[in-house]
Short mmCIF file of all heavy atoms in Angstrom, two decimals:
data_model
loop_
_atom_site.label_atom_id
_atom_site.label_comp_id
_atom_site.label_asym_id
_atom_site.label_seq_id
_atom_site.Cartn_x
_atom_site.Cartn_y
_atom_site.Cartn_z
N ALA A 23 43.62 23.90 -0.40
CA ALA A 23 42.19 24.17 -0.29
C ALA A 23 41.91 25.62 -0.66
O ALA A 23 42.70 26.52 -0.33
CB ALA A 23 41.71 23.90 1.13
N PRO A 24 40.81 25.90 -1.34
CA PRO A 24 40.46 27.29 -1.66
C PRO A 24 40.12 28.05 -0.39
O PRO A 24 39.71 27.46 0.60
CB PRO A 24 39.24 27.15 -2.57
CG PRO A 24 38.64 25.83 -2.22
CD PRO A 24 39.80 24.94 -1.84
N PRO A 25 40.30 29.37 -0.37
CA PRO A 25 39.95 30.15 0.81
C PRO A 25 38.46 30.10 1.06
O PRO A 25 37.67 29.94 0.12
CB PRO A 25 40.41 31.57 0.45
CG PRO A 25 40.39 31.61 -1.05
CD PRO A 25 40.76 30.22 -1.49
N PRO A 26 38.01 30.22 2.32
CA PRO A 26 36.58 30.19 2.60
C PRO A 26 35.87 31.33 1.91
O PRO A 26 36.36 32.46 1.86
CB PRO A 26 36.52 30.34 4.13
CG PRO A 26 37.82 30.94 4.52
CD PRO A 26 38.83 30.43 3.53
N ALA A 27 34.71 31.02 1.35
CA ALA A 27 33.92 32.06 0.65
C ALA A 27 33.34 33.02 1.65
O ALA A 27 32.97 32.65 2.78
CB ALA A 27 32.81 31.40 -0.16
N ASP A 28 33.26 34.29 1.25
CA ASP A 28 32.65 35.29 2.12
C ASP A 28 31.17 35.02 2.24
O ASP A 28 30.49 34.67 1.27
CB ASP A 28 32.86 36.70 1.54
CG ASP A 28 34.33 37.10 1.56
OD1 ASP A 28 35.05 36.59 2.43
OD2 ASP A 28 34.73 37.90 0.69
N ASN A 29 30.64 35.19 3.44
CA ASN A 29 29.21 35.01 3.69
C ASN A 29 28.54 36.36 3.68
O ASN A 29 28.73 37.16 4.59
CB ASN A 29 29.00 34.31 5.03
CG ASN A 29 27.53 33.98 5.27
OD1 ASN A 29 26.66 34.35 4.47
ND2 ASN A 29 27.24 33.31 6.37
N PRO A 30 27.77 36.67 2.64
CA PRO A 30 27.16 38.01 2.57
C PRO A 30 26.20 38.28 3.70
O PRO A 30 25.86 39.42 3.97
CB PRO A 30 26.43 37.98 1.21
CG PRO A 30 26.22 36.53 0.90
CD PRO A 30 27.37 35.80 1.52
N ALA A 31 25.74 37.21 4.39
CA ALA A 31 24.80 37.42 5.49
C ALA A 31 25.49 37.91 6.75
O ALA A 31 24.85 38.38 7.68
CB ALA A 31 24.05 36.11 5.77
N ASP A 32 26.82 37.74 6.80
CA ASP A 32 27.54 38.17 7.98
C ASP A 32 27.45 39.69 8.13
O ASP A 32 27.45 40.44 7.15
CB ASP A 32 29.02 37.78 7.89
CG ASP A 32 29.20 36.28 8.04
OD1 ASP A 32 28.24 35.62 8.49
OD2 ASP A 32 30.29 35.79 7.70
N GLU A 33 27.40 40.14 9.39
CA GLU A 33 27.37 41.58 9.65
C GLU A 33 28.73 42.18 9.32
O GLU A 33 29.77 41.56 9.57
CB GLU A 33 27.03 41.83 11.12
CG GLU A 33 25.59 41.53 11.48
CD GLU A 33 25.28 42.00 12.89
OE1 GLU A 33 26.04 42.85 13.40
OE2 GLU A 33 24.30 41.55 13.46
N PRO A 34 28.78 43.39 8.76
CA PRO A 34 30.07 44.02 8.52
C PRO A 34 30.78 44.31 9.84
O PRO A 34 30.15 44.52 10.87
CB PRO A 34 29.68 45.33 7.79
CG PRO A 34 28.25 45.57 8.16
CD PRO A 34 27.64 44.21 8.35
N ILE A 35 32.11 44.29 9.77
CA ILE A 35 32.90 44.54 10.97
C ILE A 35 32.73 45.99 11.41
O ILE A 35 32.80 46.92 10.60
CB ILE A 35 34.39 44.26 10.70
CG1 ILE A 35 34.57 42.79 10.32
CG2 ILE A 35 35.24 44.60 11.89
CD1 ILE A 35 35.97 42.45 9.86
N ASP A 36 32.46 46.18 12.70
CA ASP A 36 32.31 47.53 13.25
C ASP A 36 33.70 48.08 13.54
O ASP A 36 34.40 47.59 14.43
CB ASP A 36 31.47 47.48 14.53
CG ASP A 36 31.07 48.87 15.00
OD1 ASP A 36 31.59 49.86 14.44
OD2 ASP A 36 30.24 48.98 15.92
N ILE A 37 34.10 49.10 12.77
CA ILE A 37 35.44 49.64 12.93
C ILE A 37 35.50 50.75 13.98
O ILE A 37 36.58 51.26 14.27
CB ILE A 37 35.98 50.17 11.59
CG1 ILE A 37 35.08 51.31 11.06
CG2 ILE A 37 36.09 49.06 10.57
CD1 ILE A 37 35.64 52.02 9.86
N ARG A 38 34.36 51.12 14.56
CA ARG A 38 34.37 52.16 15.59
C ARG A 38 34.96 51.60 16.88
O ARG A 38 34.59 50.50 17.30
CB ARG A 38 32.97 52.70 15.85
CG ARG A 38 32.47 53.65 14.77
CD ARG A 38 31.15 54.29 15.19
NE ARG A 38 30.07 53.31 15.20
CZ ARG A 38 29.33 53.03 14.14
NH1 ARG A 38 29.55 53.64 13.01
NH2 ARG A 38 28.36 52.13 14.21
N PRO A 39 35.86 52.33 17.52
CA PRO A 39 36.40 51.87 18.80
C PRO A 39 35.28 51.73 19.82
O PRO A 39 34.29 52.48 19.79
CB PRO A 39 37.37 52.98 19.20
CG PRO A 39 37.68 53.71 17.92
CD PRO A 39 36.45 53.61 17.08
N PRO A 40 35.39 50.77 20.75
CA PRO A 40 34.35 50.61 21.76
C PRO A 40 34.32 51.78 22.73
O PRO A 40 35.23 52.62 22.76
CB PRO A 40 34.74 49.31 22.47
CG PRO A 40 36.21 49.21 22.26
CD PRO A 40 36.47 49.79 20.91
N CYS A 41 33.29 51.82 23.53
CA CYS A 41 33.14 52.89 24.53
C CYS A 41 34.32 52.86 25.50
O CYS A 41 34.68 51.80 26.03
CB CYS A 41 31.83 52.69 25.28
SG CYS A 41 31.58 53.84 26.65
N THR A 42 34.92 54.02 25.76
CA THR A 42 36.04 54.09 26.69
C THR A 42 35.60 53.96 28.14
O THR A 42 36.41 53.70 29.02
CB THR A 42 36.78 55.43 26.51
OG1 THR A 42 35.85 56.51 26.67
CG2 THR A 42 37.42 55.51 25.14
N CYS A 43 34.31 54.12 28.37
CA CYS A 43 33.80 54.04 29.75
C CYS A 43 33.47 52.61 30.15
O CYS A 43 33.91 52.13 31.20
CB CYS A 43 32.56 54.93 29.88
SG CYS A 43 31.78 54.90 31.51
N CYS A 44 32.73 51.89 29.29
CA CYS A 44 32.28 50.54 29.68
C CYS A 44 32.62 49.47 28.65
O CYS A 44 32.35 48.29 28.88
CB CYS A 44 30.78 50.55 29.94
SG CYS A 44 29.79 50.78 28.43
N GLY A 45 33.18 49.86 27.50
CA GLY A 45 33.50 48.89 26.47
C GLY A 45 32.33 48.52 25.58
O GLY A 45 32.43 47.60 24.77
N GLY A 46 31.22 49.20 25.72
CA GLY A 46 30.03 48.89 24.94
C GLY A 46 30.14 49.34 23.50
O GLY A 46 31.09 50.02 23.11
N ARG A 47 29.12 49.00 22.70
CA ARG A 47 29.10 49.35 21.28
C ARG A 47 28.63 50.78 21.09
O ARG A 47 27.65 51.21 21.70
CB ARG A 47 28.19 48.39 20.52
CG ARG A 47 28.26 48.54 18.99
CD ARG A 47 27.58 47.37 18.30
NE ARG A 47 26.14 47.51 18.35
CZ ARG A 47 25.39 47.95 17.33
NH1 ARG A 47 25.98 48.27 16.19
NH2 ARG A 47 24.09 48.05 17.43
N MET A 48 29.35 51.52 20.24
CA MET A 48 28.99 52.90 19.95
C MET A 48 28.15 52.96 18.69
O MET A 48 28.41 52.26 17.71
CB MET A 48 30.26 53.74 19.74
CG MET A 48 31.23 53.72 20.91
SD MET A 48 30.59 54.49 22.41
CE MET A 48 30.70 56.23 21.99
N ILE A 49 27.09 53.79 18.72
CA ILE A 49 26.26 53.99 17.53
C ILE A 49 26.19 55.49 17.22
O ILE A 49 26.39 56.33 18.09
CB ILE A 49 24.83 53.44 17.74
CG1 ILE A 49 24.14 54.19 18.88
CG2 ILE A 49 24.85 51.95 17.99
CD1 ILE A 49 22.66 53.85 19.00
N VAL A 50 25.93 55.80 15.96
CA VAL A 50 25.86 57.20 15.52
C VAL A 50 24.48 57.77 15.85
O VAL A 50 23.46 57.19 15.51
CB VAL A 50 26.12 57.30 14.00
CG1 VAL A 50 25.97 58.75 13.52
CG2 VAL A 50 27.51 56.78 13.67
N ILE A 51 24.47 58.91 16.55
CA ILE A 51 23.19 59.53 16.91
C ILE A 51 22.99 60.89 16.24
O ILE A 51 21.90 61.44 16.27
CB ILE A 51 23.06 59.70 18.44
CG1 ILE A 51 24.15 60.64 18.98
CG2 ILE A 51 23.09 58.36 19.14
CD1 ILE A 51 23.95 61.03 20.43
N GLU A 52 24.06 61.44 15.65
CA GLU A 52 23.92 62.72 14.95
C GLU A 52 25.03 62.84 13.92
O GLU A 52 26.17 62.44 14.17
CB GLU A 52 24.01 63.90 15.93
CG GLU A 52 23.87 65.26 15.25
CD GLU A 52 24.16 66.43 16.18
OE1 GLU A 52 24.21 66.22 17.41
OE2 GLU A 52 24.35 67.54 15.65
N VAL A 53 24.70 63.37 12.75
CA VAL A 53 25.68 63.63 11.70
C VAL A 53 25.67 65.12 11.42
O VAL A 53 24.60 65.73 11.31
CB VAL A 53 25.34 62.85 10.42
CG1 VAL A 53 26.31 63.22 9.30
CG2 VAL A 53 25.38 61.34 10.68
N PHE A 54 26.85 65.73 11.34
CA PHE A 54 26.91 67.16 11.02
C PHE A 54 27.82 67.37 9.81
O PHE A 54 28.77 66.64 9.58
CB PHE A 54 27.38 68.00 12.21
CG PHE A 54 28.65 67.53 12.86
CD1 PHE A 54 29.88 68.08 12.53
CD2 PHE A 54 28.62 66.54 13.84
CE1 PHE A 54 31.04 67.66 13.13
CE2 PHE A 54 29.78 66.11 14.46
CZ PHE A 54 31.00 66.67 14.10
N LYS A 55 27.48 68.39 9.01
CA LYS A 55 28.12 68.61 7.72
C LYS A 55 29.45 69.35 7.87
O LYS A 55 29.82 69.78 8.95
CB LYS A 55 27.17 69.37 6.79
CG LYS A 55 25.90 68.61 6.47
CD LYS A 55 25.01 69.42 5.53
CE LYS A 55 23.72 68.65 5.20
NZ LYS A 55 22.84 69.44 4.31
N ARG A 56 30.12 69.49 6.73
CA ARG A 56 31.41 70.20 6.69
C ARG A 56 31.26 71.61 7.24
O ARG A 56 30.27 72.28 7.02
CB ARG A 56 31.92 70.27 5.26
CG ARG A 56 32.18 68.91 4.62
CD ARG A 56 32.29 69.02 3.13
NE ARG A 56 33.50 69.70 2.72
CZ ARG A 56 34.65 69.10 2.40
NH1 ARG A 56 34.72 67.78 2.47
NH2 ARG A 56 35.70 69.78 2.04
N TRP A 57 32.29 72.03 7.95
CA TRP A 57 32.36 73.36 8.56
C TRP A 57 31.31 73.56 9.66
O TRP A 57 31.11 74.67 10.12
CB TRP A 57 32.19 74.46 7.51
CG TRP A 57 33.29 74.49 6.50
CD1 TRP A 57 33.28 73.93 5.26
CD2 TRP A 57 34.57 75.10 6.64
NE1 TRP A 57 34.47 74.15 4.62
CE2 TRP A 57 35.29 74.88 5.44
CE3 TRP A 57 35.20 75.82 7.66
CZ2 TRP A 57 36.58 75.34 5.24
CZ3 TRP A 57 36.48 76.28 7.46
CH2 TRP A 57 37.16 76.04 6.25
N ARG A 58 30.65 72.49 10.09
CA ARG A 58 29.64 72.60 11.15
C ARG A 58 30.13 71.89 12.40
O ARG A 58 30.99 71.02 12.35
CB ARG A 58 28.33 71.96 10.70
CG ARG A 58 27.75 72.56 9.44
CD ARG A 58 26.93 73.77 9.72
NE ARG A 58 26.34 74.33 8.52
CZ ARG A 58 25.46 75.31 8.54
NH1 ARG A 58 25.05 75.82 9.69
NH2 ARG A 58 24.97 75.79 7.41
N GLN A 59 29.56 72.26 13.52
CA GLN A 59 29.79 71.56 14.78
C GLN A 59 28.50 70.88 15.19
O GLN A 59 27.41 71.27 14.73
CB GLN A 59 30.21 72.56 15.86
CG GLN A 59 31.62 73.13 15.67
CD GLN A 59 32.71 72.16 16.06
OE1 GLN A 59 32.43 71.02 16.42
NE2 GLN A 59 33.96 72.61 15.98
N PRO A 60 28.54 69.86 16.04
CA PRO A 60 27.29 69.26 16.53
C PRO A 60 26.49 70.31 17.29
O PRO A 60 27.03 71.28 17.81
CB PRO A 60 27.77 68.13 17.45
CG PRO A 60 29.18 68.46 17.78
CD PRO A 60 29.73 69.19 16.61
N ARG A 61 25.18 70.09 17.33
CA ARG A 61 24.30 71.09 17.95
C ARG A 61 24.66 71.34 19.42
O ARG A 61 24.48 72.42 19.95
CB ARG A 61 22.85 70.63 17.85
CG ARG A 61 22.31 70.66 16.43
CD ARG A 61 20.82 70.42 16.42
NE ARG A 61 20.47 69.11 16.91
CZ ARG A 61 20.39 68.02 16.15
NH1 ARG A 61 20.66 68.10 14.87
NH2 ARG A 61 20.05 66.85 16.66
N GLY A 62 25.17 70.34 20.08
CA GLY A 62 25.54 70.48 21.49
C GLY A 62 25.64 69.12 22.12
O GLY A 62 25.11 68.15 21.60
N PRO A 63 26.33 69.01 23.23
CA PRO A 63 26.47 67.70 23.88
C PRO A 63 25.13 67.18 24.35
O PRO A 63 24.42 67.86 25.10
CB PRO A 63 27.41 67.98 25.05
CG PRO A 63 27.31 69.44 25.29
CD PRO A 63 27.01 70.07 23.98
N PRO A 64 24.73 65.99 23.90
CA PRO A 64 23.44 65.45 24.35
C PRO A 64 23.51 65.05 25.81
O PRO A 64 24.53 64.58 26.28
CB PRO A 64 23.26 64.22 23.45
CG PRO A 64 24.65 63.83 23.07
CD PRO A 64 25.45 65.08 23.03
#
């Protein structure tokens, strides 16, 4: 049998590790450029 076709409607796999505190999903809230640090801990 041929391999199952990819479903483009499927969500991409989230490669970010889950939250170490509760196991929840992590999302990006700030991006900082090269040689920069984040503005401060939110």
Side-chain angles (χ1 to χ4, degrees):
D28 293 332
N29 185 356
D32 289 345
E33 289 189 18
I35 298 173
D36 190 350
I37 61 172
R38 284 188 290 272
C41 175
T42 55
C43 178
C44 69
R47 188 167 77 101
M48 303 294 286
I49 62 171
V50 177
I51 63 171
E52 180 188 346
V53 175
F54 51 96
K55 296 181 180 179
R56 298 163 70 93
W57 296 97
R58 302 276 182 172
Q59 289 283 4
R61 291 189 296 271

